[in-house]
Amino acid sequence: MAKYYQQEIETMPYPQLRELQNDRFMKQIRHVWEDVPYYRQKMIDHGVTLDDIKSIDDLHKLPFLTKADLREAYPYGLKGKPLSECVRIQSTSGTTGKRVVAFYTQHDVDLWEDCCARAIMAAGGTNEDVCQVAYGYGLFTGGPGLNGGSHRVGCLTLPMSSGNTDRQIQFMTDLGATILCCTPSYAAYLAESIQEKGMRDQIKLKAGIFGAEAWSEDMRHDIENKLGIKAYDIYGLTETSGPGVAFECEEQRGMHINEDHFIAEIIDPDTGEVLPEGSKGELVFTAITKEAFPLMRYRTRDICVLSREKCSCGRTHVRMSKPMGRSDDMLIIRGVNVFPSQIETVLMQQGYSANYQIVVDRVNNTDTFEVLVEMNPDMFSDSLAKIHEREKKVVEAMRSMLGISPKVKLVAPKSIARSEGKAVRVVDKRKI
């Protein structure tokens, strides 16, 4: 039997849902026009004014927002409410050192937590459950989002944050955690650790809500078998709130998008043309209820497919497939967004050339991350001790930029293969 947090909205007939979207969209576009000068100017430059937008059917007339806009407008340029009404920021890494900073009013936080509560209840959660949140807290949206959703449902919430596996397992067994929220790679690591400790019969988990990185169906089944749970996917972006933009139900055939808060489009990534339902293309979101950071037509760069095929769970909101790739060069490594341009920025600042290669793999269900960097000829004559010292310095600079530490290996000049076409900067060996 399907469980809903807000059944009337989650099962709303599509014509009624479309009407609700239209009302909210029209209020939002007026709010953005009046209160976000950056986007108002983009509209004017695009040849569109508020009078040109009569209904949700005119959404396609609006200009897109991209990560480049977020960088240009950093930090306050896309803020839609005065600071006196903003109560929180969340953030993710940017491509050149400038982070994406998203603002929230208390109303925004409340709606975000509602979305996460829907995901928890879709995974079978109730106020009788013990929900262990092992996503990172702080600026990262994973921990705060699922923490708030768990409170809304009424679960006993274990705000574990990420890491400290021994403590995770101790609390999981001692307090009888029934729902686990974390990245899929960390869930796989926890499963292996539990098996190694011979504690499989001591855990009470029934469901997991895993997101923030790409994972395959094979990985899903492996986690489910090792932990004896049902594993649910969840999707979100810091730019649009965080996890809870979309989530899986028990059918596990795509994630339901919370369409009362987000309008989804699929576009041709090259032309920007809106594609019909069922087409594979780039996912674009318009946030129609966010007050403090009301992004319009934000290009996620995720490639996927939308479907309105009837779902047996009773939810009527459109489903998105797992992202099938990206239309830019962003990598997601251990749940962290990494752009080759960030690596390049660090190397240039450290006095290296732009000849480098990023090698990503997945070993024992955990992402590995190595950066090969060509030394300049004068560096190549350095002693091994000096080279190791240089490697440590680059690791520290990259950790500061990215939030995670790669393995850095300094290699001989001209030892990284050259290409006559586009340089192969990324070698991703993960089988997703």
Side-chain angles (χ1 to χ4, degrees):
M1 176 100 178
K3 293 186 177 74
Y4 312 97
Y5 178 68
Q6 294 168 316
Q7 183 170 356
E8 184 180 347
I9 296 171
E10 294 178 65
T11 62
M12 184 178 285
Y14 180 64
Q16 192 178 337
L17 178 61
R18 184 76 172 174
E19 190 176 328
L20 175 65
Q21 282 186 322
N22 188 69
D23 290 345
R24 290 180 169 180
F25 168 70
M26 291 306 295
K27 288 177 185 174
Q28 187 75 313
I29 191 60
R30 181 169 293 280
H31 164 44
V32 170
W33 177 266
E34 293 174 352
D35 300 320
V36 186
Y38 183 94
Y39 194 76
R40 179 172 65 240
Q41 190 59 52
K42 278 193 76 81
M43 287 177 64
I44 292 168
D45 293 345
H46 199 65
V48 182
T49 69
L50 195 59
D51 292 337
D52 296 314
I53 309 300
K54 308 293 186 187
S55 75
I56 197 173
D57 293 330
D58 294 322
L59 176 63
H60 69 279
K61 296 178 181 178
L62 294 174
F64 295 112
L65 279 171
T66 66
K67 267 235 170 46
D69 290 301
L70 271 58
R71 288 200 304 274
E72 186 177 324
Y74 173 91
Y76 290 123
L78 286 165
K79 180 172 61 65
K81 287 288 184 179
L83 281 182
S84 60
E85 295 182 40
C86 296
V87 299
R88 188 193 297 182
I89 67 156
Q90 301 287 164
S91 177
T92 186
S93 62
T95 58
T96 56
K98 284 189 177 179
R99 303 181 70 89
V100 171
V101 175
F103 298 85
Y104 300 73
T105 63
Q106 186 57 52
H107 182 64
D108 292 334
V109 173
D110 291 343
L111 295 185
W112 178 26
E113 292 181 350
D114 284 347
C115 288
C116 290
R118 292 179 191 178
I120 290 170
M121 291 199 69
T126 72
N127 59 4
E128 298 290 328
D129 282 293
V130 178
C131 186
Q132 183 158 335
V133 183
Y135 285 110
Y137 279 68
L139 290 172
F140 180 57
T141 56
L146 272 301
N147 191 94
S150 177
H151 282 197
R152 294 266 169 179
V153 173
C155 303
L156 174 64
T157 308
L158 309 185
M160 302 297 298
S161 195
S162 54
N164 201 330
T165 300
D166 287 343
R167 186 175 63 189
Q168 298 275 2
I169 296 171
Q170 180 189 344
F171 273 73
M172 188 182 292
T173 54
D174 291 352
L175 292 168
T178 52
I179 298 173
L180 175 64
C181 305
C182 62
T183 62
S185 58
Y186 191 55
Y189 181 71
L190 280 170
E192 288 179 359
S193 300
I194 288 165
Q195 283 192 327
E196 287 170 4
K197 292 174 181 290
M199 300 177 72
R200 174 67 180 78
D201 60 341
Q202 296 180 43
I203 65 169
K204 297 180 180 178
L205 292 177
K206 66 178 186 182
I209 300 173
F210 308 135
E213 63 187 19
W215 53 310
S216 65
E217 286 301 306
D218 287 341
M219 189 173 180
R220 185 210 296 268
H221 297 320
D222 185 58
I223 294 170
E224 289 181 332
N225 290 335
K226 286 179 178 173
L227 290 177
I229 63 172
K230 190 160 184 174
Y232 296 81
D233 209 346
I234 191 168
Y235 177 88
L237 302 149
T238 299
E239 297 91 325
T240 54
S241 70
V245 171
F247 59 87
E248 276 188 326
C249 63
E250 69 257 24
E251 195 170 292
Q252 293 181 318
R253 291 179 58 217
M255 291 171 276
H256 290 280
I257 294 171
N258 284 308
E259 288 191 278
D260 53 323
H261 300 299
F262 307 100
I263 299 172
E265 302 172 276
I266 293 291
I267 65 166
D268 181 314
D270 297 322
T271 67
E273 177 192 0
V274 179
L275 301 176
E277 183 195 320
S279 302
K280 180 178 175 181
E282 182 183 336
L283 183 62
V284 173
F285 279 121
T286 295
I288 53 175
T289 54
K290 283 208 71 176
E291 297 177 332
F293 206 58
L295 298 191
M296 310 299 288
R297 302 200 82 197
Y298 181 71
R299 294 186 62 163
T300 69
R301 301 296 181 179
D302 284 325
I303 302 297
C304 70
V305 175
L306 299 181
S307 171
R308 287 204 177 275
E309 185 182 333
K310 188 175 180 180
C311 186
S312 63
C313 77
R315 290 177 179 81
T316 52
H317 295 199
V318 71
R319 280 178 288 179
M320 60 174 280
S321 66
K322 272 181 178 287
M324 303 167 182
R326 292 186 58 81
S327 63
D328 63 7
D329 58 355
M330 189 183 86
L331 292 161
I332 301 177
I333 303 171
R334 299 177 217 144
V336 176
N337 298 348
V338 175
F339 288 85
S341 55
Q342 292 173 304
I343 305 287
E344 193 164 305
T345 298
V346 169
L347 296 179
M348 300 298 277
Q349 289 173 348
Q350 296 285 320
Y352 295 90
S353 70
N355 295 314
Y356 65 93
Q357 193 166 70
I358 303 164
V359 182
V360 186
D361 204 347
R362 184 162 282 169
V363 179
N364 296 327
N365 290 312
T366 300
D367 290 341
T368 62
F369 176 22
E370 182 177 35
V371 182
L372 306 178
V373 183
E374 280 189 8
M375 289 183 280
N376 297 328
D378 59 322
M379 298 176 185
F380 189 52
S381 60
D382 288 343
S383 67
L384 277 177
K386 183 71 173 176
I387 289 171
H388 288 322
E389 187 181 320
R390 287 181 177 276
E391 287 173 341
K392 286 180 183 177
K393 190 175 179 183
V394 175
V395 168
E396 182 57 33
M398 288 190 183
R399 187 192 62 76
S400 179
M401 168 73 85
L402 306 172
I404 59 173
S405 300
K407 178 183 178 183
V408 170
K409 185 176 181 181
L410 295 180
V411 298
K414 299 185 179 180
S415 61
I416 294 176
R418 302 303 198 257
S419 170
E420 292 182 5
K422 188 175 180 181
V424 180
R425 296 289 184 219
V426 178
V427 178
D428 195 339
K429 299 178 180 179
R430 295 173 294 184
K431 292 180 172 60
I432 302 299

